[in-house]
Amino acid sequence: MKIALMDSGIGLLAATAAVRRLRPDADLVLSLDPDGMPWGPRTPEDLTARALAVAEAAAAHRPDALIVGCNTASVHALPALRALLEPGVPVIGTVPAIKPAASGGGPLAIWATPATTGSPYQRNLIAEFADGVTVTEVPCHGLAEAVEHADQAAIDTAVAAAAALTPDDVTTVVLGCTHYELVAERIRAAVQRPGRPPLVLHGSAGAVAAQALRRLGEHPATGAAVSGSLTVLLSGREGVLPEPALAYDEGRLLRAVTPAG
C-alpha cells in the first residue's frame, strides 16, 4: 500500500505520522511545495494551480490514495484535485474537527489562520455542526509560519497572542490548521486555566489517516513490521525532509522508523 500526502510545507507531518502509526508497512510519498509556499496568501486560482502541480508530482509515484494535509488547500482545491485523480486515486481532504468538538457541548474555540477565521467556509461548518454551542473564532497570526520554520520564540509569541484571545471558560479547542497539531501540547499549556477541567484538543490527523484506510478498504495494523519507505518530493524534485521537520516528534518518528534508502 502506498499513500501520498501533500501540502505546501510541513503541516502534513501530523497526518503522515498518524498514517505511519496505523500502518508501519505503508509506503509514503510526501509532496511539498517549497518553491510556492506559503499557499495561504495566494488567490484561490493560484493556490489550486500550485496544489494540482504538487498532486501530479505525487501521482507520478502511483499512490493508492492522496491525503490533502492542508486545511486551506482542502477548502479551495479539493474539487479540482478530485477531478484530476478520482476515481482511480481517492483524494481525502482535511476539515477542521468542529463536529466532534461541538458534540462535547462547548464552549469551544477554533484556532485557525487569519484567512480562515471568519471565512464563509468556517462559518458554514460552525452553523452546520455547532448550532447552539458557544464558539469563539481565534485568528492565530503568524503561528503556521513560525511552526513551518521551527522558530521557537515566534511559536511562543504566536501561541501566547492566540491564547489571550481565547475565553477563560473554553473547554475545547479545535486546531483548524494542520501546522498547529505539531505544537498541540504548547497550545494546551497556554490555554489551560488553573482549576478548570482538562482542556480537550481536537485535531484532524487521526481522522484523516483512518479515512484514507477506509477509502482503500484497509484496516489498521499497528503491530506490523516497520517496512514502509518514505519518498519526499520538493516542488516535484526528490529530496529529504526539510530540517525544521526534525524539530517535531512527528518528523523524528518518520526519520526514525523509515529504512534508509
Side-chain angles (χ1 to χ4, degrees):
M1 180 170 56
K2 181 181 290 187
I3 295 178
L5 299 96
M6 59 171 280
D7 188 6
S8 63
I10 63 173
L12 52 63
L13 284 180
T16 306
V19 173
R20 177 61 93 206
R21 292 186 183 105
L22 288 176
R23 289 298 297 257
D25 57 336
D27 294 330
L28 303 177
V29 178
L30 308 190
S31 192
L32 287 68
D33 188 26
D35 293 356
M37 66 175 297
W39 284 351
R42 294 180 176 274
T43 65
E45 296 77 15
D46 192 18
L47 186 155
T48 297
R50 300 296 312 188
L52 287 171
V54 166
E56 286 179 331
H61 289 258
R62 304 179 67 81
D64 299 302
L66 172 70
I67 292 172
V68 184
C70 172
N71 294 91
T72 303
S74 296
V75 170
H76 296 295
L78 202 55
L81 292 168
R82 285 180 167 154
L84 175 71
L85 296 176
E86 292 188 342
V89 179
V91 178
I92 297 92
T94 299
V95 177
I98 294 172
K99 183 177 181 180
S103 68
L108 64 89
I110 304 171
W111 283 33
T113 63
T116 300
T117 300
S119 67
Y121 167 76
Q122 184 159 292
R123 290 282 167 86
N124 287 338
L125 289 175
I126 293 169
E128 183 175 358
F129 297 120
D131 186 40
V133 176
T134 300
V135 177
T136 301
E137 296 181 90
V138 178
C140 302
H141 294 277
L143 181 53
E145 294 81 1
V147 172
E148 178 68 33
H149 296 101
D151 184 332
Q152 305 304 323
I155 291 170
D156 288 341
T157 298
V159 167
L165 299 175
T166 304
D168 288 348
D169 63 347
V170 157
T171 61
T172 305
V173 173
V174 175
L175 303 178
C177 170
T178 53
H179 280 81
Y180 303 170
E181 297 189 52
L182 301 178
V183 291
E185 292 312 310
R186 291 164 79 163
I187 292 171
R188 185 192 306 277
V191 178
Q192 180 69 57
R193 307 298 189 227
R196 299 285 300 171
L199 186 73
V200 178
L201 298 181
H202 281 273
S204 302
V208 167
Q211 175 66 4
L213 293 186
R214 281 195 294 271
R215 289 287 301 274
L216 292 173
E218 297 282 353
H219 299 282
T222 53
V226 178
S227 57
S229 63
L230 180 70
T231 301
V232 177
L233 305 173
L234 305 175
S235 297
R237 307 176 299 271
E238 288 208 30
V240 297
L241 278 175
E243 189 65 27
L246 302 180
Y248 304 103
D249 290 342
E250 293 84 351
R252 291 190 291 268
L253 169 70
L254 294 174
R255 183 178 66 171
V257 303
T258 302

